[in-house]
Amino acid sequence: DAQGAVHPLVEKNITPGHFEAIGQADAHLWQAVALALAGFLLIYVIEFIGKRVAQKIYRLPKIKPYETHGLIGYPLGHSFSARYFADKFAREGITDCRYDLYELKTIEELPALLEAQPELRGFNVTIPYKQQIIPYLDDLSPETRMIGAVNCVRCEGGRLTGYNTDVTDFRASLETFLGGERPERALVLGTGGASQAVQYVLAQMEIPFDLVS
């Protein structure tokens, strides 16, 4: 000043550059605070949206997994079962089931098939395995025990249960065909698995029969 006194800031060697540095530090501080607030806000928005989406997903109807059914036998090139059931499922609006053909060259391939197809809920059995499959089953229906042939297997809880639906179908068809009459004798052609069911029904209806192999 006029009296030759030195300004305190000059005495401490503080120049305008120091004020500029302090201003820049304050700006960086506010930027950091703004970024932190923006981060917290972003986390909140993400959590909020996530909860809303989770609530909507939770309210969606449960999607039922496919149930697979099929046919085992060899050969199966002649079989129309897959097309029949595909048409049946479509006609009846059944969208969670499918029916496949499984050609097994030997019945010993059955365990590998079951392991590879854990979604298999049941399968039909055709030649030549209607009798060979019995040792692989855990249980048999009463009529199947009597007949000794299986044409349908249910897979449930890791257990295989064998049935013979030929009995029900043949009995219904025969009773419709015969009406109230009873023939003196019947002739059964063949002695395979289907023949076993025919013989069982004839015996129940007390109709004598002869076999031609």
Side-chain angles (χ1 to χ4, degrees), residues 12-87:
K12 294 181 179 180
N13 199 29
I14 296 176
T15 64
H18 287 82
F19 291 103
E20 183 178 350
I22 293 172
Q24 290 178 352
D26 288 342
H28 290 318
L29 177 62
W30 284 111
Q31 287 179 356
V33 172
L35 288 174
L37 291 175
F40 285 126
L41 179 60
L42 180 61
I43 292 174
Y44 174 79
V45 171
I46 292 175
E47 288 184 352
F48 177 78
I49 295 175
K51 289 179 180 179
R52 295 295 297 272
V53 172
Q55 289 174 352
K56 290 184 178 180
I57 293 176
Y58 181 76
R59 293 193 187 103
L60 289 175
K62 296 294 188 296
I63 299 176
K64 188 177 181 181
Y66 267 94
E67 289 188 358
T68 303
H69 307 267
L71 171 69
I72 69 167
Y74 188 83
L76 295 178
H78 64 284
S79 176
F80 61 89
S81 296
R83 172 53 54 190
Y84 170 82
F85 280 103
D87 293 343

XYZ file of all heavy atoms in Angstrom, residues 12-87:
606
model
N 2.020 -14.408 2.190
C 1.997 -15.883 2.246
C 2.228 -16.514 0.879
O 2.034 -17.695 0.699
C 0.655 -16.356 2.807
C 0.458 -15.941 4.268
C -0.865 -16.450 4.790
C -1.059 -16.058 6.254
N -2.349 -16.549 6.796
N 2.581 -15.712 -0.074
C 2.877 -16.192 -1.428
C 1.662 -16.865 -2.095
O 1.801 -17.856 -2.790
C 4.072 -17.155 -1.401
C 4.697 -17.299 -2.773
O 4.642 -16.356 -3.584
N 5.313 -18.432 -3.027
N 0.476 -16.328 -1.801
C -0.740 -16.865 -2.419
C -1.039 -16.046 -3.659
O -1.210 -14.826 -3.570
C -1.931 -16.814 -1.450
C -1.648 -17.713 -0.252
C -3.213 -17.222 -2.138
C -2.716 -17.669 0.797
N -1.072 -16.684 -4.781
C -1.276 -16.023 -6.063
C -2.661 -16.352 -6.596
O -3.347 -17.258 -6.093
C -0.220 -16.495 -7.062
O -0.418 -17.891 -7.297
C 1.198 -16.284 -6.514
N -3.131 -15.675 -7.635
C -4.436 -16.016 -8.242
C -4.530 -17.469 -8.686
O -5.597 -18.048 -8.736
C -4.507 -15.056 -9.431
C -3.683 -13.889 -9.009
C -2.545 -14.460 -8.200
N -3.404 -18.087 -8.997
C -3.433 -19.491 -9.411
C -3.946 -20.399 -8.317
O -4.569 -21.424 -8.568
N -3.626 -19.990 -7.023
C -4.133 -20.791 -5.917
C -5.652 -20.765 -5.884
O -6.303 -21.785 -5.630
C -3.568 -20.265 -4.593
C -2.116 -20.591 -4.400
N -1.101 -19.852 -4.954
C -1.509 -21.601 -3.708
C 0.069 -20.346 -4.621
N -0.145 -21.427 -3.857
N -6.265 -19.612 -6.137
C -7.729 -19.528 -6.134
C -8.326 -20.360 -7.268
O -9.359 -21.000 -7.113
C -8.164 -18.055 -6.265
C -7.851 -17.228 -5.049
C -6.762 -16.354 -5.049
C -8.619 -17.350 -3.912
C -6.467 -15.606 -3.925
C -8.323 -16.596 -2.792
C -7.252 -15.731 -2.790
N -7.653 -20.372 -8.401
C -8.123 -21.165 -9.533
C -8.081 -22.658 -9.188
O -9.000 -23.415 -9.502
C -7.254 -20.883 -10.754
C -7.733 -21.622 -12.005
C -6.878 -21.295 -13.205
O -6.035 -20.365 -13.117
O -7.058 -21.964 -14.235
N -7.007 -23.093 -8.498
C -6.882 -24.510 -8.113
C -7.970 -24.891 -7.122
O -8.555 -25.976 -7.196
C -5.501 -24.769 -7.513
N -8.245 -23.959 -6.168
C -9.299 -24.249 -5.185
C -10.655 -24.363 -5.878
O -11.475 -25.246 -5.590
C -9.327 -23.154 -4.098
C -8.045 -23.212 -3.272
C -10.544 -23.301 -3.209
C -7.894 -22.051 -2.296
N -10.883 -23.456 -6.840
C -12.158 -23.511 -7.584
C -12.309 -24.812 -8.349
O -13.375 -25.411 -8.392
N -11.215 -25.297 -8.952
C -11.266 -26.567 -9.686
C -11.518 -27.732 -8.736
O -12.274 -28.669 -9.048
C -9.953 -26.776 -10.441
C -9.764 -25.827 -11.606
C -8.438 -26.038 -12.301
O -7.591 -26.800 -11.810
N -8.244 -25.358 -13.448
N -10.922 -27.693 -7.538
C -11.146 -28.764 -6.562
C -12.598 -28.796 -6.130
O -13.203 -29.874 -5.996
C -10.226 -28.560 -5.356
N -13.164 -27.615 -5.915
C -14.588 -27.564 -5.538
C -15.465 -28.127 -6.663
O -16.433 -28.850 -6.417
C -14.986 -26.118 -5.237
C -14.382 -25.630 -3.918
O -13.969 -26.497 -3.119
O -14.335 -24.397 -3.708
N -15.108 -27.799 -7.886
C -15.896 -28.308 -9.027
C -15.824 -29.829 -9.102
O -16.828 -30.512 -9.336
C -15.374 -27.672 -10.325
N -14.618 -30.387 -8.901
C -14.465 -31.852 -8.919
C -15.273 -32.497 -7.792
O -15.855 -33.570 -7.957
C -12.987 -32.231 -8.786
C -12.179 -31.891 -10.006
N -12.629 -32.103 -11.287
C -10.923 -31.351 -10.130
C -11.716 -31.727 -12.151
N -10.654 -31.241 -11.476
N -15.282 -31.827 -6.649
C -16.042 -32.354 -5.514
C -17.526 -32.421 -5.829
O -18.191 -33.430 -5.572
C -15.785 -31.485 -4.275
C -16.587 -31.871 -3.019
C -16.219 -33.288 -2.583
C -16.306 -30.878 -1.897
N -18.040 -31.336 -6.411
C -19.465 -31.326 -6.750
C -19.787 -32.335 -7.859
O -20.862 -32.933 -7.862
C -19.884 -29.919 -7.173
C -20.042 -28.987 -6.015
C -19.262 -27.924 -5.678
C -21.057 -29.071 -5.016
N -19.692 -27.323 -4.531
C -20.825 -28.020 -4.089
C -22.136 -29.920 -4.793
C -21.617 -27.802 -2.981
C -22.942 -29.700 -3.683
C -22.685 -28.658 -2.791
N -18.859 -32.518 -8.770
C -19.065 -33.541 -9.806
C -19.149 -34.928 -9.184
O -19.982 -35.761 -9.563
C -17.929 -33.492 -10.827
C -17.982 -32.293 -11.756
C -16.820 -32.274 -12.727
O -15.924 -33.120 -12.656
N -16.810 -31.270 -13.617
N -18.273 -35.195 -8.214
C -18.282 -36.492 -7.543
C -19.588 -36.696 -6.790
O -20.192 -37.792 -6.809
C -17.099 -36.602 -6.594
N -20.039 -35.640 -6.110
C -21.312 -35.734 -5.380
C -22.464 -35.991 -6.346
O -23.341 -36.824 -6.089
C -21.555 -34.445 -4.568
C -22.954 -34.440 -3.971
C -20.509 -34.305 -3.468
N -22.464 -35.279 -7.483
C -23.533 -35.462 -8.476
C -23.531 -36.875 -9.039
O -24.586 -37.505 -9.216
C -23.364 -34.430 -9.600
N -22.328 -37.382 -9.327
C -22.233 -38.748 -9.851
C -22.725 -39.770 -8.827
O -23.401 -40.756 -9.173
C -20.789 -39.060 -10.249
C -20.281 -38.370 -11.511
C -18.789 -38.647 -11.704
C -21.071 -38.836 -12.730
N -22.388 -39.560 -7.555
C -22.837 -40.476 -6.507
C -24.352 -40.474 -6.398
O -24.995 -41.521 -6.291
C -22.200 -40.088 -5.175
N -24.936 -39.251 -6.433
C -26.397 -39.156 -6.369
C -27.042 -39.824 -7.585
O -28.062 -40.512 -7.456
C -26.811 -37.683 -6.283
C -26.463 -36.963 -4.972
C -26.807 -35.489 -5.070
C -27.201 -37.613 -3.794
N -26.448 -39.618 -8.747
C -26.979 -40.249 -9.961
C -26.890 -41.770 -9.854
O -27.800 -42.499 -10.281
C -26.208 -39.760 -11.186
N -25.795 -42.276 -9.258
C -25.644 -43.718 -9.084
C -26.700 -44.292 -8.161
O -27.309 -45.327 -8.454
N -26.931 -43.596 -7.032
C -27.975 -44.056 -6.103
C -29.341 -44.046 -6.767
O -30.152 -44.959 -6.581
C -27.984 -43.170 -4.853
C -26.847 -43.428 -3.920
C -26.013 -42.389 -3.504
C -26.581 -44.713 -3.443
C -24.959 -42.627 -2.644
C -25.524 -44.952 -2.576
C -24.702 -43.914 -2.175
N -29.607 -42.985 -7.556
C -30.896 -42.898 -8.242
C -31.050 -44.032 -9.257
O -32.117 -44.652 -9.366
C -31.006 -41.543 -8.956
C -32.299 -41.298 -9.739
C -33.502 -41.372 -8.799
C -32.249 -39.962 -10.460
N -29.969 -44.334 -9.987
C -30.017 -45.411 -10.978
C -30.282 -46.758 -10.307
O -31.082 -47.566 -10.797
C -28.701 -45.453 -11.756
C -28.581 -46.536 -12.839
C -29.648 -46.356 -13.898
C -27.192 -46.519 -13.469
N -29.614 -46.997 -9.172
C -29.828 -48.261 -8.440
C -31.276 -48.367 -7.988
O -31.915 -49.428 -8.088
C -28.870 -48.337 -7.236
C -27.422 -48.470 -7.727
C -29.234 -49.511 -6.331
C -26.396 -48.397 -6.617
N -31.838 -47.264 -7.510
C -33.232 -47.267 -7.047
C -34.186 -47.588 -8.190
O -35.114 -48.389 -8.047
C -33.577 -45.908 -6.445
C -35.026 -45.766 -6.069
C -35.514 -46.326 -4.890
C -35.911 -45.084 -6.903
C -36.856 -46.209 -4.551
C -37.247 -44.968 -6.573
C -37.722 -45.532 -5.399
O -39.042 -45.417 -5.071
N -33.938 -46.930 -9.345
C -34.803 -47.161 -10.511
C -34.724 -48.616 -10.963
O -35.738 -49.248 -11.266
C -34.404 -46.212 -11.665
C -35.140 -46.592 -12.949
C -34.713 -44.772 -11.287
N -33.503 -49.160 -10.993
C -33.339 -50.559 -11.414
C -34.069 -51.496 -10.454
O -34.765 -52.436 -10.872
C -31.840 -50.920 -11.501
C -31.183 -50.150 -12.651
C -31.656 -52.424 -11.679
C -29.684 -50.340 -12.738
N -33.926 -51.275 -9.152
C -34.612 -52.120 -8.167
C -36.125 -51.999 -8.307
O -36.849 -52.991 -8.228
C -34.175 -51.731 -6.755
C -32.754 -52.149 -6.412
C -32.394 -51.821 -4.978
O -33.208 -51.127 -4.312
O -31.324 -52.256 -4.513
N -36.596 -50.786 -8.526
C -38.043 -50.564 -8.652
C -38.596 -51.306 -9.868
O -39.600 -52.018 -9.783
C -38.320 -49.061 -8.762
C -39.768 -48.736 -8.956
C -40.652 -48.756 -7.886
C -40.254 -48.425 -10.226
C -41.991 -48.466 -8.070
C -41.589 -48.137 -10.416
C -42.470 -48.155 -9.340
N -37.899 -51.122 -11.011
C -38.347 -51.792 -12.234
C -38.254 -53.308 -12.082
O -39.139 -54.056 -12.505
C -37.522 -51.312 -13.442
C -37.776 -49.827 -13.701
C -37.849 -52.141 -14.685
C -36.914 -49.238 -14.801
N -37.168 -53.767 -11.453
C -36.998 -55.210 -11.262
C -38.123 -55.815 -10.440
O -38.626 -56.895 -10.750
N -38.524 -55.100 -9.388
C -39.613 -55.608 -8.550
C -40.928 -55.665 -9.321
O -41.690 -56.620 -9.198
C -39.767 -54.731 -7.314
C -38.634 -54.883 -6.304
C -38.836 -53.969 -5.109
C -37.694 -54.121 -4.105
N -37.856 -53.221 -2.947
N -41.184 -54.626 -10.134
C -42.421 -54.615 -10.910
C -42.445 -55.745 -11.923
O -43.461 -56.431 -12.099
C -42.574 -53.264 -11.620
C -42.741 -52.081 -10.685
C -44.063 -52.204 -9.915
N -45.198 -52.173 -10.792
C -45.815 -51.067 -11.181
N -45.379 -49.877 -10.746
N -46.862 -51.119 -11.986
N -41.306 -55.945 -12.604
C -41.222 -57.039 -13.583
C -41.391 -58.379 -12.901
O -42.092 -59.268 -13.383
C -39.888 -56.978 -14.346
C -39.705 -58.221 -15.223
C -39.820 -55.719 -15.196
N -40.732 -58.560 -11.740
C -40.834 -59.828 -11.005
C -42.275 -60.094 -10.586
O -42.757 -61.234 -10.650
C -39.924 -59.791 -9.778
N -42.991 -59.050 -10.175
C -44.385 -59.219 -9.781
C -45.237 -59.671 -10.961
O -46.098 -60.538 -10.829
C -44.926 -57.916 -9.202
C -44.348 -57.570 -7.838
C -44.787 -56.202 -7.370
O -45.408 -55.442 -8.115
N -44.458 -55.871 -6.121
N -44.976 -59.078 -12.131
C -45.736 -59.464 -13.313
C -45.434 -60.891 -13.726
O -46.315 -61.659 -14.095
C -45.430 -58.497 -14.465
C -45.997 -57.100 -14.252
C -45.738 -56.220 -15.459
C -46.345 -54.840 -15.263
N -46.114 -53.954 -16.430
N -44.150 -61.261 -13.665
C -43.767 -62.632 -14.023
C -44.392 -63.622 -13.058
O -44.856 -64.696 -13.446
C -42.228 -62.770 -14.040
C -41.637 -61.939 -15.177
C -41.802 -64.233 -14.166
C -40.120 -61.939 -15.210
N -44.416 -63.260 -11.774
C -44.983 -64.154 -10.770
C -46.469 -64.394 -11.031
O -46.986 -65.474 -10.752
C -44.787 -63.552 -9.385
C -45.319 -64.418 -8.264
C -44.627 -65.547 -7.849
C -46.529 -64.110 -7.646
C -45.111 -66.344 -6.840
C -47.020 -64.907 -6.621
C -46.308 -66.021 -6.216
O -46.801 -66.803 -5.220
N -47.135 -63.371 -11.568
C -48.574 -63.504 -11.809
C -48.888 -64.268 -13.085
O -50.030 -64.635 -13.330
C -49.206 -62.114 -11.892
C -49.184 -61.346 -10.577
C -50.089 -60.144 -10.652
N -49.966 -59.319 -9.467
C -49.295 -58.188 -9.424
N -48.681 -57.748 -10.513
N -49.226 -57.474 -8.310
N -47.863 -64.487 -13.940
C -48.100 -65.224 -15.178
C -48.494 -66.666 -14.869
O -48.036 -67.251 -13.903
C -46.830 -65.231 -16.042
C -46.444 -63.900 -16.688
C -45.102 -64.049 -17.402
C -47.507 -63.431 -17.661
N -49.364 -67.254 -15.696
C -49.713 -68.656 -15.469
C -48.507 -69.556 -15.619
O -47.639 -69.324 -16.456
C -50.753 -68.929 -16.578
C -50.478 -67.890 -17.622
C -50.008 -66.674 -16.871
N -48.419 -70.562 -14.776
C -47.302 -71.498 -14.825
C -47.322 -72.260 -16.154
O -48.361 -72.763 -16.589
C -47.393 -72.486 -13.652
C -47.258 -71.811 -12.290
C -45.880 -71.230 -12.097
C -45.661 -70.734 -10.684
N -46.529 -69.622 -10.323
N -46.163 -72.337 -16.786
C -46.051 -73.062 -18.049
C -45.806 -74.532 -17.746
O -44.790 -74.904 -17.159
C -44.900 -72.491 -18.904
C -45.194 -71.021 -19.227
C -44.738 -73.294 -20.185
C -44.067 -70.335 -19.979
N -46.738 -75.346 -18.145
C -46.640 -76.772 -17.880
C -45.657 -77.414 -18.853
O -45.739 -77.186 -20.062
C -48.016 -77.433 -18.029
C -48.059 -78.884 -17.576
C -49.472 -79.417 -17.682
C -49.538 -80.874 -17.210
N -50.909 -81.410 -17.327
N -44.696 -78.187 -18.357
C -43.733 -78.812 -19.264
C -44.401 -79.865 -20.139
O -45.469 -80.387 -19.815
C -42.729 -79.460 -18.299
C -43.500 -79.671 -17.039
C -44.470 -78.519 -16.950
N -43.756 -80.133 -21.265
C -44.285 -81.140 -22.181
C -44.299 -82.519 -21.527
O -43.376 -82.889 -20.813
C -43.430 -81.209 -23.447
C -43.928 -80.332 -24.566
C -43.427 -79.055 -24.746
C -44.917 -80.777 -25.431
C -43.885 -78.240 -25.764
C -45.382 -79.976 -26.463
C -44.860 -78.718 -26.629
O -45.326 -77.905 -27.635
N -45.377 -83.247 -21.781
C -45.441 -84.655 -21.405
C -45.252 -85.473 -22.676
O -45.953 -85.260 -23.663
C -46.777 -84.993 -20.753
C -46.943 -84.413 -19.359
C -48.194 -84.938 -18.670
O -48.927 -85.723 -19.312
O -48.433 -84.561 -17.526
N -44.302 -86.367 -22.638
C -44.009 -87.173 -23.816
C -44.570 -88.577 -23.644
O -44.466 -89.179 -22.585
C -42.491 -87.252 -24.054
O -41.976 -85.929 -24.191
C -42.179 -88.037 -25.312
N -45.200 -89.048 -24.686
C -45.699 -90.419 -24.757
C -45.151 -91.021 -26.046
O -44.632 -90.308 -26.903
C -47.228 -90.436 -24.751
C -47.830 -89.673 -23.616
N -48.179 -90.258 -22.424
C -48.124 -88.351 -23.476
C -48.668 -89.343 -21.606
N -48.648 -88.179 -22.224
N -45.255 -92.326 -26.183
C -44.703 -92.896 -27.402
C -45.009 -94.372 -27.569
O -45.841 -94.950 -26.860
N -44.303 -94.959 -28.502
C -44.471 -96.370 -28.852
C -43.106 -96.999 -29.003
O -42.227 -96.440 -29.662
C -45.247 -96.487 -30.173
C -45.335 -97.888 -30.791
C -46.222 -98.801 -29.936
C -45.885 -97.809 -32.220
N -42.916 -98.173 -28.376
C -41.685 -98.930 -28.578
C -42.008 -100.205 -29.335
O -43.090 -100.779 -29.192
C -40.961 -99.264 -27.254
C -41.769 -100.284 -26.442
C -40.709 -98.012 -26.442
C -40.980 -100.892 -25.289
N -41.063 -100.643 -30.134
C -41.232 -101.864 -30.921
C -40.156 -101.885 -31.989
O -39.304 -101.005 -32.054
N -40.211 -102.894 -32.847
C -39.264 -102.967 -33.959
C -39.756 -103.978 -34.990
O -40.054 -105.122 -34.631
C -37.881 -103.383 -33.469
C -36.824 -103.275 -34.551
C -36.216 -102.052 -34.819
C -36.465 -104.380 -35.312
C -35.259 -101.936 -35.823
C -35.510 -104.269 -36.309
C -34.916 -103.057 -36.556
O -33.977 -102.937 -37.550
N -39.878 -103.537 -36.248
C -39.699 -102.166 -36.748
C -40.975 -101.349 -36.547
O -42.025 -101.900 -36.206
C -39.413 -102.396 -38.232
C -40.197 -103.635 -38.552
C -40.140 -104.515 -37.335
N -40.866 -100.044 -36.783
C -42.026 -99.168 -36.596
C -42.351 -98.352 -37.844
O -43.152 -97.417 -37.775
C -41.790 -98.213 -35.418
C -41.672 -98.865 -34.034
C -41.397 -97.805 -32.981
C -42.932 -99.647 -33.693
N -41.743 -98.710 -38.956
C -41.994 -97.970 -40.188
C -43.449 -98.019 -40.621
O -43.933 -97.120 -41.309
N -44.165 -99.056 -40.230
C -45.564 -99.217 -40.630
C -46.536 -98.495 -39.698
O -47.719 -98.380 -40.005
C -45.922 -100.701 -40.609
C -45.840 -101.303 -39.230
N -44.635 -101.621 -38.631
C -46.805 -101.604 -38.321
C -44.860 -102.111 -37.426
N -46.169 -102.104 -37.211
N -46.042 -98.021 -38.552
C -46.934 -97.494 -37.522
C -47.503 -96.121 -37.896
O -46.783 -95.247 -38.378
C -46.183 -97.390 -36.193
O -47.009 -96.786 -35.208
N -48.798 -95.936 -37.646
C -49.443 -94.642 -37.854
C -49.775 -93.973 -36.517
O -50.501 -92.968 -36.475
C -50.730 -94.804 -38.679
C -51.765 -95.674 -38.031
C -52.704 -95.129 -37.159
C -51.819 -97.036 -38.298
C -53.660 -95.927 -36.558
C -52.779 -97.837 -37.685
C -53.700 -97.279 -36.823
N -49.234 -94.520 -35.419
C -49.575 -94.019 -34.084
C -49.177 -92.552 -33.886
O -49.934 -91.764 -33.309
C -48.909 -94.878 -33.009
O -49.393 -96.197 -33.045
N -47.991 -92.168 -34.338
C -47.529 -90.792 -34.132
C -48.474 -89.801 -34.804
O -48.865 -88.790 -34.210
C -46.108 -90.618 -34.648
N -48.874 -90.069 -36.048
C -49.796 -89.187 -36.753
C -51.168 -89.192 -36.093
O -51.806 -88.143 -35.952
C -49.901 -89.625 -38.224
C -50.978 -88.901 -39.023
C -50.873 -87.396 -38.933
N -49.540 -86.925 -39.311
C -49.122 -85.680 -39.143
N -49.896 -84.801 -38.542
N -47.921 -85.336 -39.516
N -51.610 -90.369 -35.653
C -52.928 -90.473 -35.003
C -52.989 -89.593 -33.757
O -53.945 -88.823 -33.566
C -53.208 -91.932 -34.633
C -54.422 -92.096 -33.747
C -55.698 -92.123 -34.285
C -54.291 -92.221 -32.361
C -56.822 -92.266 -33.475
C -55.390 -92.355 -31.547
C -56.651 -92.380 -32.104
O -57.762 -92.508 -31.298
N -51.971 -89.691 -32.905
C -51.994 -88.921 -31.663
C -51.736 -87.436 -31.903
O -52.267 -86.586 -31.182
C -50.988 -89.492 -30.665
C -51.499 -90.700 -29.942
C -51.067 -91.972 -30.298
C -52.430 -90.583 -28.927
C -51.546 -93.094 -29.640
C -52.912 -91.698 -28.257
C -52.477 -92.956 -28.616
N -50.907 -87.099 -32.894
C -50.694 -85.686 -33.226
C -52.012 -85.043 -33.644
O -52.345 -83.927 -33.207
C -49.650 -85.554 -34.328
N -52.778 -85.740 -34.473
C -54.080 -85.233 -34.907
C -55.051 -85.162 -33.733
O -55.828 -84.207 -33.611
C -54.654 -86.126 -36.005
C -53.847 -86.048 -37.297
O -53.067 -85.084 -37.452
O -53.983 -86.951 -38.138
